[in-house]
Amino acid sequence: MTTSRVTIKEVAARAGVSKGAVSLAFNHKPGLSEATRDRIFRAARELGWAPNPTARTLAGSRVDVVGLAVCRPARLLGLEPFYMDFVSGVESVLIERNCSLLLRLVRNVEEEVGLQEAWWRGRQIGGSILVDFRADDPRVAAVERLGMPVVAVGHPSLTGTLTSVWTDDATAVTEAVRYLAALGHRRIARVGGAAALGHTAMRTAAFDEAARTLELAGAWQVTTDYSGEAGARATRSLLTAAPPDRPTAIVYDNDIMAVAGLSVAAEMGLGVPHDVSLLAWDDSQLCRLTRPTLSAMSHDVHGFGAEAARTLFGVITGEGPGSHPVPTPVLTPRGSTAPPGV
Amino acid sequence: MTTSRVTIKEVAARAGVSKGAVSLAFNHKPGLSEATRDRIFRAARELGWAPNPTARTLAGSRVDVVGLAVCRPARLLGLEPFYMDFVSGVESVLIERNCSLLLRLVRNVEEEVGLQEAWWRGRQIGGSILVDFRADDPRVAAVERLGMPVVAVGHPSLTGTLTSVWTDDATAVTEAVRYLAALGHRRIARVGGAAALGHTAMRTAAFDEAARTLELAGAWQVTTDYSGEAGARATRSLLTAAPPDRPTAIVYDNDIMAVAGLSVAAEMGLGVPHDVSLLAWDDSQLCRLTRPTLSAMSHDVHGFGAEAARTLFGVITGEGPGSHPVPTPVLTPRGSTAPPGV
DNA sequence: AACGTTTTCTTAACCGGTAAAGTCGCTATC
DNA sequence: GATAGCGACTTTACCGGTTAAGAAAACGTT
C-alpha cells in the first residue's frame, strides 16, 4: 500500500486556508499573519507534507538540481580518484542547500552540449558544473546562447566569459620543475594527461617554458589517457634510453600514473629516488601508500569541488561573471624525489 | 537571449492538430493515422521540440531519473575505486534508456531513508539503487511501505523481500582462504571492511568457517573503515608479532588496503610474497601497478553496476521480486602470493 | 437509408504547485 | 462620512504535459 500522496490542498484544508496561503507560507513571502503561518506549518508537519519540487519547477520557480556531465571513458573514471573526490566536495555544499546532483557520463563534448541543452530547456536543472575544458570548447558558446547558469572548472583562457573556478596549473608545473632542478636534475620528463584537455596544453607549455628558463639539458613530454597502463608504458619508454639520454626525474599528471611509474622503475631495476625521481600530481591517499612514498603536487580536490558548487550558486543567484582561483597545488616532498644519484 | 521555449502547443499548431494528438504521437499510443503522426513528428523536428520531462512527471507518467544515495564519509569515497566504477556501470545502461542518475551523499541510513522517501513522494525518481546494506536495514521496511521500485545491492539475507543483485561473498572468501591454505599457509589473517556493513559480517563468518574447516593454526580478523591508513595500521599490528604468532598471509577487503599493506610489509623489512602473502579484493587497475603485483579476488564492478541498473528497470516495469546473483569474484593470482617462506 | 462500429482526433479536466490580480474588513485622513 | 490605503487572504490563471471522455467522419451491415 502506497502512502497516500498528501498535497498542498489537504494541508490548506487542515489549516483552514486556501492553497495560495500555504504557498505563501512555505516560500516565506509576506502577506500572512504569524498566527495563520503557524497553523499552516503545524498542519504541514502533522501531515508530513513538503512542497513537491516537480510541481514547483513546472510552476516556474527555482530548480534544486544541478547538473554534472563527465566526459571520460567509463572504465578510466573508475580509478581516477579525482572525480569521486571532486563530486564529494560538490555534494558537501549541495547538501546544505538541499540540492541534488544530476550526474551523467557522456561520450564526447557534442553529446554533452546536447545534454546540457536538454536539461536546461526541460528545466531539469538550475545550473551546471562544466569540467574538462578543451581549446575552443563548444560548450562556452552553447551555454551563453542558452543563458544557462554554469560554473566552468578550468582556466579563464579556456572558459571565455563563463564564471570559472581554476587552479594555476602553469605555476604549479613551474614549481615542480624548479624543485627538481634545485635538487640537481638537468634531465626531466613529464608524463601528461589527455592531450585534448586544455589544462594539459597549459601544463605542457609551462613545462617547456620552465625547461628553457632553467636551461635543462633534457626535457621530454608525452601525453596519455591518464590510465595506469599508459603511465607505465610512457615510463618504460622514457627509462629505456641509456643513462645520458635518460631523464633523472619524471613528473606525472596524476597519482595513478606515478604509481605505475614507480612499479616500472622497480621492474627495470632502477632505484627510486636514487636512479630516478618521481613526482605525482593531485596527491590522493595513494601517494602515502607506496614504497617509497610519492612526492606530489598536492591539491585539495574536495575543496575544489566545494568551491565550484558554491560559485555555481553564486551564478544562479545572479552574481556577475567572475574568475575564482583556488589555491595552487603545493609541493609535498616525500620519498620519491632526491638529488640525482651519481 | 534565451532560446524561446517551445512547447507542445506550438508543435500542435504547426502540425494543425490539438496538443492531445501530439501527446499521443510522442507516446506511441494508438488512435492516430500514419499521416498525422508523420506531420506531428516533422513539426516537432522542425521546431526542435522534445517533451518536457518535468511536465510529464507531474502529469503522472513515468519518471526518467533513478536515485542513488551513498552513505560513506566523503573523503573515503574519493579513493575507493569501487564506487566510481560501479556508478559508471550504472550509467552505461541508463544512457541507452535516456535516463539520468540522481546522486546524493548521505551521512547515515536514517538520513537516506528520509531522502528516498522525499524523492519518491516528490516524484523525483522512478526508482532507486540501494547499496551498503547492514543487518536489519531500516530501508527494507521503508521502501516496502512506500511501494517504491528499488534494487537492493546486497545478499538476499540482508535485503528481505526486495529484489537483490549480489555477489557470493561467502564463497569468494572461502575460495581465497582455500587458495592460501593450498599454498601451504596455516596462519591467515583478514583485514575486513566496515563492521556495520552486512557483507562484511558475511565475509567474517565465512572466514571463520573456512578457518575451522581447514583447521588453520591461526586465524585473525579485524575490521576497518576501508581506508588505506586503516589498512596500514591493521597490517602493522598483525605483522609485529614474532614469527610463530604472525600470519603468513593476509586477505584484504579492498584494493587500497592491500596496497597499504604491501607498503607496510616493505617498511618492516618483510618480503612479499616470501615472508608474507597478500591478497587484494575487487581488483582494480591498482593491483597491476604495484611491485610485486597484487593477487586479488577479481570482480567486474562495472558489470555489477550495469546489472543493478538493468534489474532496477525490470522492477520498475513490474517484474516481481527476484534475486540476481552476479558472478562470484574469482581468484587472480599475481606476484603477491606464494607458498610461505621457510 | 438507417444504424451500430471503428477510427481519428478534440475537449477538458487534472497533476501540484506559483503568482498576479482581486476581495474584504478595518484604520487613517481630510 | 466618503475615500484612500493597507493587511490578510482568496481567486484564478497559468506551467507543459497526460488521459479519460466526447464528437465527427468513415466504414461495414442489413
Side-chain angles (χ1 to χ4, degrees):
Chain A
M1 170 223 55
T2 315
T3 310
S4 53
R5 300 197 167 287
V6 26
T7 78
I8 198 174
K9 219 185 306 190
E10 283 117 73
V11 176
R14 178 177 255 261
V17 296
S18 70
K19 49 184 207 147
V22 178
S23 178
L24 289 181
F26 267 78
N27 291 315
H28 302 104
K29 298 208 172 165
L32 253 49
S33 71
E34 268 316 307
T36 42
R37 217 173 270 278
D38 284 352
R39 277 212 326 284
I40 291 171
F41 281 123
R42 182 142 29 82
R45 193 159 3 93
E46 287 164 2
L47 276 78
W49 177 83
N52 179 328
T54 305
R56 241 181 186 178
T57 296
L58 189 56
S61 77
R62 185 88 311 97
V63 182
D64 52 3
V65 174
V66 317
L68 175 62
V70 173
C71 171
R72 293 227 186 147
R75 307 207 91 100
L76 287 185
L77 264 182
L79 196 60
E80 266 281 35
F82 184 89
Y83 274 105
M84 255 303 187
D85 213 1
F86 185 83
V87 165
S88 79
V90 169
E91 281 281 355
S92 70
V93 356
L94 294 194
I95 266 179
E96 55 195 42
R97 321 226 178 183
N98 254 32
C99 283
S100 297
L101 184 71
L102 200 53
L103 182 73
R104 187 81 170 265
L105 266 42
V106 293
R107 270 173 293 260
N108 51 56
V109 211
E110 290 67 39
E111 192 178 324
E112 181 178 344
V113 168
L115 179 66
Q116 299 281 3
E117 199 166 324
W119 273 350
W120 176 245
R121 302 209 311 187
R123 290 258 176 111
Q124 305 252 85
I125 59 173
S128 223
I129 298 176
L130 269 32
V131 297
D132 279 350
F133 273 81
R134 47 202 68 205
D136 299 315
D137 201 292
R139 288 173 294 177
V140 177
V143 156
E144 275 169 357
R145 178 165 45 75
L146 292 171
M148 156 177 166
V150 301
V151 58
V153 176
H155 192 273
S157 68
L158 298 165
T159 61
T161 57
L162 305 179
T163 293
S164 59
V165 172
W166 52 286
T167 51
D168 188 350
D169 280 311
T171 300
V173 165
T174 306
E175 186 183 334
V177 177
R178 278 224 191 93
Y179 161 70
L180 293 170
L183 285 178
H185 292 277
R186 312 295 304 154
R187 297 192 305 282
I188 306 179
R190 172 171 162 269
V191 176
L197 264 31
H199 73 266
T200 301
M202 304 193 62
R203 290 186 194 178
T204 302
F207 183 89
D208 274 339
E209 171 70 19
R212 239 201 1 267
T213 309
L214 296 167
E215 297 177 338
L216 295 185
W220 297 259
Q221 293 197 75
V222 293
T223 54
T224 66
D225 62 3
Y226 280 117
S227 72
E229 272 89 357
R233 245 192 326 273
T235 307
R236 200 151 14 226
S237 113
L238 285 166
L239 296 181
T240 42
D245 294 324
R246 180 214 285 163
T248 60
I250 308 180
V251 187
Y252 293 85
D253 258 16
N254 72 1
D255 289 353
I256 304 301
M257 295 196 294
V259 171
L262 195 58
S263 152
V264 167
E267 151 200 323
M268 298 179 68
L270 296 172
V272 174
H274 184 265
D275 298 314
V276 57
S277 283
L278 265 31
L279 186 56
W281 205 282
D282 286 344
D283 195 17
S284 68
Q285 234 185 85
L286 219 45
C287 295
R288 269 155 288 154
L289 301 182
T290 56
R291 282 288 115 183
T293 52
L294 282 165
S295 301
M297 297 302 295
S298 310
H299 199 189
D300 179 8
V301 178
H302 183 90
F304 194 11
E307 179 60 17
R310 262 192 299 271
T311 304
L312 176 57
F313 281 114
V315 177
I316 290 178
T317 58
E319 255 170 43
S323 160
H324 300 238
V326 302
T328 304
V330 300
L331 182 83
T332 302
R334 294 206 185 84
S336 66
T337 47
V342 280
Chain B
M1 172 220 58
T2 315
T3 309
S4 55
R5 302 199 164 288
V6 27
T7 76
I8 198 174
K9 219 184 307 190
E10 281 118 74
V11 177
R14 179 176 252 263
V17 296
S18 69
K19 49 182 207 149
V22 178
S23 178
L24 288 182
F26 267 78
N27 292 315
H28 302 103
K29 296 208 171 164
L32 252 46
S33 71
E34 268 315 306
T36 42
R37 218 173 268 277
D38 284 351
R39 278 211 326 285
I40 291 171
F41 281 123
R42 181 141 30 81
R45 191 155 7 90
E46 286 163 1
L47 276 76
W49 177 83
N52 179 328
T54 306
R56 241 182 186 179
T57 297
L58 188 56
S61 77
R62 104 232 97 263
V63 183
D64 51 2
V65 173
V66 317
L68 174 62
V70 173
C71 171
R72 293 226 187 148
R75 306 208 92 99
L76 287 186
L77 264 182
L79 196 59
E80 266 281 36
F82 184 90
Y83 274 106
M84 254 302 187
D85 214 1
F86 184 84
V87 165
S88 80
V90 169
E91 281 281 354
S92 70
V93 354
L94 294 194
I95 266 181
E96 54 195 41
R97 322 225 177 184
N98 255 33
C99 282
S100 297
L101 184 71
L102 200 54
L103 181 73
R104 187 81 170 262
L105 266 43
V106 293
R107 270 173 293 262
N108 52 57
V109 212
E110 289 68 38
E111 193 178 322
E112 182 178 344
V113 168
L115 179 66
Q116 299 281 5
E117 198 166 327
W119 273 351
W120 176 245
R121 302 208 313 186
R123 289 258 177 113
Q124 305 252 84
I125 58 172
S128 224
I129 298 177
L130 270 30
V131 297
D132 279 349
F133 273 80
R134 47 202 68 208
D136 298 316
D137 201 292
R139 288 173 295 178
V140 177
V143 157
E144 275 169 356
R145 180 165 44 76
L146 292 170
M148 156 177 166
V150 300
V151 57
V153 176
H155 191 273
S157 69
L158 298 164
T159 61
T161 57
L162 305 179
T163 293
S164 58
V165 172
W166 53 285
T167 51
D168 188 349
D169 281 310
T171 301
V173 165
T174 306
E175 186 183 334
V177 176
R178 277 224 192 94
Y179 162 69
L180 293 169
L183 285 178
H185 293 277
R186 311 296 304 154
R187 296 192 305 281
I188 305 180
R190 171 171 163 269
V191 175
L197 264 31
H199 73 266
T200 301
M202 304 193 63
R203 290 186 193 178
T204 301
F207 184 89
D208 274 340
E209 171 70 20
R212 235 200 6 265
T213 308
L214 297 165
E215 296 178 339
L216 296 185
W220 298 259
Q221 292 196 76
V222 292
T223 54
T224 66
D225 63 4
Y226 279 117
S227 72
E229 273 88 357
R233 246 193 325 274
T235 308
R236 207 160 356 239
S237 113
L238 284 166
L239 296 182
T240 43
D245 294 324
R246 181 214 286 164
T248 60
I250 308 181
V251 187
Y252 294 86
D253 258 15
N254 71 1
D255 289 353
I256 305 300
M257 296 196 294
V259 172
L262 195 58
S263 153
V264 166
E267 152 201 320
M268 296 179 68
L270 296 173
V272 173
H274 183 266
D275 298 314
V276 57
S277 284
L278 264 33
L279 186 56
W281 203 281
D282 284 345
D283 195 18
S284 69
Q285 234 184 87
L286 219 47
C287 295
R288 268 156 290 154
L289 301 182
T290 56
R291 282 288 114 180
T293 52
L294 283 164
S295 301
M297 296 303 293
S298 310
H299 199 190
D300 178 9
V301 177
H302 183 90
F304 193 11
E307 178 60 17
R310 263 191 298 272
T311 305
L312 176 57
F313 281 115
V315 176
I316 290 179
T317 57
E319 255 170 43
S323 159
H324 300 239
V326 301
T328 303
V330 301
L331 183 81
T332 302
R334 295 206 185 85
S336 66
T337 46
V342 281

